[in-house]
Amino acid sequence: MGTNTDELNNKYSRGNLLYEGKAKKIFNLKNRNDLVWVEYKDSLTAFNAQKRGSFLGKGALNRNLTALIYKYLGLKQIKHHLIASIESESLICHRVKIIPLEVVVRNRLAGSTAKKFKLNEGAPLKKPLVEFFYKSDELEDPFVSDDQALMLQIVETQEQLELIKAKALEVNKHLRDMFAAVGIELIDFKIEYGKNSQGELILADEITPDCCRLWDFKTGEKLDKDRFRRDLGNVEEKYLEVWNRLKDRWEKESI
Ligand code: UDP
C-alpha cells in the first residue's frame, strides 16, 4: 500500500453512486464495468443502526485493515474480490453479486449465540462453529438453518452451503494465525461471499474490527466493535492498536 498511489488514482475513475450502506459507499467505475469502487465511511453503527457513532479516520483505518488482511489471505490462496487500494479510504474490487448470507465463524462463544443458550461469554468450543444469518435489515438479520437458506433461495444447493462452510473455516484458520502472531485471539467474525462473472464464490466485503471479535491474548481486553456496542470507551484507540500491531508484523512481510 502507498506505492504507485498516483498511478492507481489516475488509472481508476469514480463513476455514479450505486449503493450506500451503513459503513460503505459503492460506486461504478467510469470505464470498467467489471469493477467497483468501495469507499469506507467514518461511521460506526450497531444494533441494526439503532446506535450510531463515528470517528475521524475510521474509514481509512478499516480500509487499510481490510486491504492488509486480504493481501495476507490472497497469499494463502484464498480467492477474494480485492484488486487495489486507492486514495485513502477506498478499494477497487471485482464486481460480484453478494450472496445475502452473513457467514459467522466462532472459535469461542460470545455475543448472540452465547446469549441465546445462556452460556458464558468466551466459552470455549471443541471445534469452530459456522452459522448463517440472512442479510436483511427489515428482518434484522435472522439466524437461518441450512434448510431455511435453501427454502429462501439464498443459495441454490446444499453443496453451495457446504462449500461456503469449508471456505469460511479455511479463512478462519489463516485469520487466527495472522492475529495470534500479534497477540490477539480471534473469537469470532462475519464474512460475506459474492459470485463473480464465472459463477465462482469468492470472499467479499470487509474484514475489520467492526465484524470480528478480537481479544488481547494476555489481558483479555476487547479490541473490536464491542467497545462501541457496550460503551467500553477507547474505540478509536483500540482499532488503531489492531492496525498498528498487524501493520508492524505483516505489512512488510512477503508472508
Ligand atoms: N457481525 C457483523 N455484522 C452483523 C452481525 C454480526 O459483522 O450484522 C459480527 C460481529 O461483530 C461478531 C460476529 O459477527 O464478530 C458474531 O456476531 P454475533 O452473532 O455474536 O452478533 P452480535 O453479538 O454482534 O449481535
Side-chain angles (χ1 to χ4, degrees), residues 173-226:
K173 208 174 67 188
H174 297 305
L175 287 182
R176 275 175 86 161
D177 290 347
M178 186 186 191
F179 282 108
V182 297
I184 295 174
E185 184 174 359
L186 177 64
I187 304 300
D188 62 29
F189 62 94
K190 184 268 304 179
I191 47 177
E192 296 182 20
Y193 283 89
K195 241 186 203 179
N196 66 14
S197 52
Q198 286 91 53
E200 234 178 328
L201 287 172
I202 63 174
L203 184 63
D205 199 34
E206 67 181 286
I207 301 183
T208 67
D210 277 1
C211 56
C212 298
R213 283 197 169 87
L214 304 167
W215 296 358
D216 183 274
F217 259 119
K218 277 198 205 122
T219 63
E221 192 174 35
K222 297 186 196 312
L223 307 171
D224 57 63
K225 195 157 95 173
D226 275 345

Side-chain angles (χ1 to χ4, degrees), residues 158-169 193 201:
Q158 180 68 37
E159 287 68 38
Q160 277 180 350
L161 287 175
E162 298 302 336
L163 184 64
I164 291 173
K165 282 185 207 171
K167 280 175 179 280
L169 287 170
Y193 283 89
L201 287 172

Side-chain angles (χ1 to χ4, degrees), residues 12-254:
Y12 299 111
S13 166
R14 203 173 79 177
N16 300 331
L17 179 69
L18 283 173
Y19 165 84
E20 178 161 3
K22 286 170 272 199
K24 273 158 288 181
K25 290 182 187 171
I26 317 276
F27 297 87
N28 266 322
L29 282 173
K30 282 193 182 139
N31 46 0
R32 292 286 301 264
N33 248 336
D34 55 331
L35 305 179
V36 287
W37 176 303
V38 182
E39 187 182 295
Y40 283 66
K41 305 197 292 187
D42 284 345
S43 55
L44 199 60
T45 63
F47 313 121
N48 209 11
Q50 286 172 47
K51 180 168 179 159
R52 289 168 185 274
S54 70
F55 65 82
L56 202 65
K58 185 214 174 220
L61 200 56
N62 272 0
R63 190 292 300 266
N64 288 343
L65 277 159
T66 298
L68 183 65
I69 292 170
Y70 271 57
K71 179 180 160 217
Y72 180 96
L73 292 174
L75 291 165
K76 303 288 180 190
Q77 318 308 323
I78 302 287
K79 268 203 125 176
H80 59 69
H81 71 155
L82 175 61
I83 307 232
S85 295
I86 193 130
E87 295 184 345
S88 67
E89 292 169 352
S90 303
L91 297 173
I92 302 296
C93 298
H94 281 290
R95 187 189 289 266
V96 293
K97 193 170 182 302
I98 292 284
I99 295 177
L101 202 60
E102 301 202 327
V103 182
V104 169
V105 182
R106 301 180 190 277
N107 294 306
R108 285 180 185 269
L109 283 188
S112 67
T113 301
K115 198 168 157 197
K116 180 170 166 181
F117 297 115
K118 288 202 165 65
L119 292 165
N120 288 339
E121 170 97 348
L125 291 164
K126 282 215 178 95
K127 58 175 191 169
L129 178 67
V130 182
E131 293 175 352
F132 296 132
F133 295 82
Y134 180 32
K135 251 172 87 76
S136 159
D137 283 341
E138 192 195 345
L139 302 175
E140 297 184 9
D141 302 343
F143 174 90
V144 283
S145 68
D146 286 21
D147 285 349
Q148 286 172 343
L150 292 170
M151 179 269 285
L152 294 168
Q153 297 179 323
I154 299 170
V155 292
E156 287 137 34
T157 61
Q158 180 68 37
E159 287 68 38
Q160 277 180 350
L161 287 175
E162 298 302 336
L163 184 64
I164 291 173
K165 282 185 207 171
K167 280 175 179 280
L169 287 170
E170 185 73 12
V171 169
N172 181 45
K173 208 174 67 188
H174 297 305
L175 287 182
R176 275 175 86 161
D177 290 347
M178 186 186 191
F179 282 108
V182 297
I184 295 174
E185 184 174 359
L186 177 64
I187 304 300
D188 62 29
F189 62 94
K190 184 268 304 179
I191 47 177
E192 296 182 20
Y193 283 89
K195 241 186 203 179
N196 66 14
S197 52
Q198 286 91 53
E200 234 178 328
L201 287 172
I202 63 174
L203 184 63
D205 199 34
E206 67 181 286
I207 301 183
T208 67
D210 277 1
C211 56
C212 298
R213 283 197 169 87
L214 304 167
W215 296 358
D216 183 274
F217 259 119
K218 277 198 205 122
T219 63
E221 192 174 35
K222 297 186 196 312
L223 307 171
D224 57 63
K225 195 157 95 173
D226 275 345
R227 301 206 71 85
F228 172 68
R229 289 190 191 97
R230 303 178 187 187
D231 295 320
L232 301 175
N234 299 330
V235 184
E236 181 176 350
E237 288 80 352
K238 298 303 164 186
Y239 273 51
L240 202 56
E241 186 176 333
V242 173
W243 165 243
N244 284 330
R245 288 204 211 177
L246 286 176
K247 172 173 66 84
D248 289 348
R249 174 66 182 83
W250 297 115
E251 202 180 32
K252 296 213 167 50
E253 287 263 333
S254 56

